Amino acid sequence: MIKFFRKFRLKLLSENKFSKYLIYAIGEIILVVIGILIALQINNWNERKKNSKKEYYLLQQLQKEFEKDSSHIETQAWLTNLKMQDGKRIRLFLEGKNNLRADSLVSLLFYNSKALLFNSSTPTYDEIISSGNLSLIKSENLKTKISNYKSSIRAANSFLFMEAHKHKEKYNAHLYKYFDAEIMAHLWKNYNRENRIISNKDLEHFKTDIEGFKNDSKSKYHVSTLIGVDAELNFQYSERINMRISEILNDIRLELKKFEN
């Protein structure tokens, strides 16, 4: 084909048909340009198709990860509510309104000292940020919501950690006046969520002064403070953070629906 066009050009030149040759040459250039543009269009179409597949995969992964985050928050909310109930039982005991066995009281006192902070796990989003592939997600609204979500968690955890840690330190310092600090390590090592009450036999190996703790007026203050910290944690995570997750998941589902058309 190339030889044919070359012979045709030479024939026009040899016959001094320069005007026809010029028209032919311009036409040939136009054809070349059109060919290049078509090739670019095909290449761009292939690139868009490839990026579209990547975006679909990323959206699916993000959906799974945010659903896990939501599930973790719900589990944490359940555990935090359990801690708050335990705290209220301790407070009622200190007020003389209920009775708690020594093994139950000591176990609840030490479990109550732990603050439960939520840690988001979205490796897909973290990876596309570090790799610079955020542009693969077309929805600017979705990208903004995810970015705000991550910022909200960092800000909430930073504030709540400082507050929770501060009150936890004061609570523990007060607790250790009447109970051995080693009880905590023993509980974590030998007991679990289903079997979380220390045995009376184990309790005999540790210093315990239940009456001293009960009669100290500051005990109720420290217990009540941790109940308040847990209530704030639950509000921040279950209400504010989980609400953001719901919005993000809704946007992801809308984006995934576009691929069904």
Side-chain angles (χ1 to χ4, degrees):
M1 183 65 72
I2 294 173
K3 288 182 178 179
F4 170 78
F5 285 118
R6 186 182 298 139
K7 287 180 179 179
F8 189 68
R9 286 198 305 271
L10 292 172
K11 182 180 178 183
L12 290 173
L13 286 172
S14 64
E15 295 176 355
N16 291 322
K17 295 179 179 179
F18 183 75
S19 59
K20 289 184 178 181
Y21 172 79
L22 187 61
I23 294 170
Y24 167 81
I26 292 171
E28 191 174 3
I29 291 170
I30 292 171
L31 286 174
V32 170
V33 170
I34 291 171
I36 292 171
L37 290 174
I38 291 171
L40 287 172
Q41 282 293 100
I42 292 171
N43 183 63
N44 290 338
W45 181 83
N46 287 333
E47 195 64 29
R48 284 196 299 271
K49 189 175 180 182
K50 191 191 301 181
N51 288 339
S52 184
K53 286 182 179 179
K54 288 180 181 178
E55 182 188 15
Y56 183 71
Y57 170 78
L58 289 174
L59 289 170
Q60 285 183 316
Q61 294 303 111
L62 286 170
Q63 184 179 34
K64 292 176 184 176
E65 290 170 9
F66 278 102
E67 284 172 349
K68 281 184 180 179
D69 266 11
S70 182
S71 177
H72 290 162
I73 284 181
E74 289 173 3
T75 300
Q76 182 163 312
W78 179 82
L79 290 171
T80 304
N81 278 324
L82 182 63
K83 276 186 77 244
M84 290 169 64
Q85 291 171 19
D86 290 344
K88 290 173 182 177
R89 288 174 66 192
I90 296 168
R91 187 167 62 188
L92 288 171
F93 169 80
L94 294 174
E95 293 170 347
K97 295 179 180 178
N98 74 354
N99 292 315
L100 283 174
R101 298 194 318 265
D103 55 351
S104 295
L105 175 65
V106 173
S107 299
L108 298 184
L109 281 170
F110 277 87
Y111 287 129
N112 200 45
S113 69
K114 185 175 177 63
L116 302 173
L117 295 177
F118 171 69
N119 290 308
S120 172
S121 178
T122 53
T124 298
Y125 181 76
D126 298 337
E127 191 277 329
I128 61 177
I129 288 294
S130 61
S131 63
N133 287 327
L134 188 59
S135 59
L136 289 172
I137 298 177
K138 297 186 186 74
S139 172
E140 293 298 326
N141 187 46
L142 176 59
K143 286 188 283 190
T144 300
K145 284 183 178 179
I146 295 176
S147 179
N148 289 341
Y149 165 75
K150 303 295 278 189
S151 298
S152 296
I153 289 179
R154 285 192 294 269
N157 275 355
S158 178
F159 171 76
L160 293 172
F161 176 79
M162 288 188 291
E163 285 296 304
H165 185 71
K166 178 177 68 177
H167 293 300
K168 175 186 168 184
E169 288 296 303
K170 291 180 180 179
Y171 175 90
N172 285 341
H174 180 74
L175 191 65
Y176 298 158
K177 291 179 184 178
Y178 303 100
F179 303 94
D180 273 341
E182 290 79 8
I183 293 175
M184 176 60 82
H186 183 78
L187 283 168
W188 290 121
K189 182 179 179 182
N190 298 286
Y191 296 88
N192 53 47
R193 191 186 302 171
E194 288 73 29
N195 179 30
R196 63 195 189 111
I197 304 301
I198 190 170
S199 69
N200 285 313
K201 184 179 179 180
D202 286 351
L203 203 56
E204 292 174 359
H205 300 291
F206 301 102
K207 178 195 80 174
T208 58
D209 182 4
I210 293 174
E211 283 304 310
F213 183 80
K214 185 176 182 180
N215 293 328
D216 190 326
S217 60
K218 292 181 180 178
S219 296
K220 181 181 174 182
Y221 165 77
H222 289 296
V223 170
S224 297
T225 298
L226 285 195
I227 294 172
V229 169
D230 286 335
E232 179 62 19
L233 284 169
N234 251 9
F235 173 74
Q236 291 292 337
Y237 294 140
S238 298
E239 299 297 327
R240 291 187 175 178
I241 302 299
N242 217 15
M243 183 178 69
R244 288 184 182 273
I245 292 177
S246 296
E247 291 176 356
I248 289 168
L249 284 172
N250 185 56
D251 281 8
I252 289 174
R253 293 185 190 105
L254 290 175
E255 290 302 307
L256 285 172
K257 277 186 178 180
K258 293 178 182 178
F259 290 88
E260 297 174 4
N261 301 327

